[in-house]
Amino acid sequence: MAVPLDTVDFAFDEMPGDDLHEVLRAYREQGPVAPTRFLGIPAFVITGHAALLDAFRDVERFPPHRMYEVSFEGAIGKSFISMEDLAEHRVYRKLATPAFRSRAVQSYERSGLAALAHEMIDALGDREEIDLVAEFTARFPYLVITRLLGLPREREEEFHRWALALLRFREEPAEAESASRELTEFLAPVVAARRRQPCNDVISELVAATVEGRRLEDEEIYSHVRLLFPTGGETTHGSLGNLLFALLSREGAWSDLKRNPSLIEAAVDEVLRWETPIAVLPRLSSSQPVEFHGTEIPPDSWVLFAIAAANRDPEVFEDPDRFDIHRKAPEMLTFGRGVKSCPGMHLVRRNMAVALETLFERMPNVELLDVDASLPRRTVLRSPDALRVRRTGGPSDC
Ligand code: HEM
């Protein structure tokens, strides 16, 4: 199918399944950087692996904070993701480390993750037909984050809605501000309680953390947490959906991997390369005109970092469109590179592996009911909207 590139807009087009990869292949044929559209205006897309690596590291031409300043700060507040001063960014990013890799996180990963996944599957009862997006992938990451933080469960249903609203600040600012208010009202009594009496959770660790000799103020803790919900929640939701799609839509892939659990981590990594939930990462270029890999880029342009294209660049990956769990792909750019490389990458890999182990144990035989409706779609946050499956209930084959 010839792709009419002149009508593509990466903000609005869904590009389900292979459509996205076909579009990106066509752009790559034009060179590592090509003109496109985003949000209805002219933009640029970087598809080549080498060029994208350069772009991630180039904080002069592509200042990494600018997009977050415009799209996040109004609802999330001041957090390290939108800090311009890189020295300040480093200090605050380090400070938020408890949220990604602390003792509380590691102990939760060892015991809490699997228990939560079992709890969610228990709640499905013995229903044969299930939408794994609505009932699992869209909820699991939020429950993980809230349990890591030590937040009460009574408003569980709202976490996903808050995260989505926070991410849509540019399009729907009033809704994003109201989600931010509701989330903060929910957080305030917990932070106050942890100041009085710390527990073994991430909020207690943030309360105890010091930056340049001082403790974090309440508002700084709130903005860290407001940041974690959308950055950690939606990406993990997408990556779990893409993982289940990859395994359930291929003949035999689910049962082959179930029989070889030692390959689960490799399968997780290959899905992260093959169909990443941040397929296209928007950046705002410098407020000066810049030249990049032979292309003139006007000031303040949207430049789309096409991670999904770089992850399938044939210069770097052999037979890049093939989903191959035996492949080793340390060059994938799924988690970015340089100053902003993803601090949550370890957590999301554990989430995905544990979710899969639990699903194999509890739903050994499942059949995907509608492959077309399950295709990953959209570009900035890419995942299936639904994964309707039937549990076939036959005996487990191992
Ligand atoms: C498969 C899942 C994930 C993917 C694909 C992903 C991808 C990325 C990418 C590409 C970046 C770099 C952004 C840039 O250069 O502007 C990033 C940064 C970030 N990620 Fe992730 N991420 C994932 C999961 C998570 C999780 C689970 C968390 C939190 C628990 C998280 C929190 C963050 C934060 C806070 C940043 C900003 C870092 C900074 O400003 O220094 N991510 N992520």
Side-chain angles (χ1 to χ4, degrees), residues 56 64-65 67-68 80-83 89 93 99-100 145 148 227-240 272 276-278 281-283 305 307 333-345 347-349 351-352:
F56 267 121
H65 73 287
M67 183 275 280
Y68 299 104
F80 66 91
I81 206 166
S82 57
M83 284 175 185
H89 166 264
R93 177 179 156 120
F100 308 110
I145 294 172
L148 280 173
L227 173 66
L228 283 184
F229 264 72
T231 53
E234 273 320 275
T235 50
T236 307
H237 160 204
S239 62
L240 280 170
L272 288 168
T276 169
I278 305 185
L281 175 71
R283 275 273 198 278
F305 285 16
I307 296 173
L333 295 182
T334 300
F335 295 109
R337 283 294 162 97
V339 286
K340 292 191 102 59
S341 65
C342 180
M345 64 175 100
L347 180 60
V348 73
R349 283 179 160 120
N351 267 288
M352 291 168 76

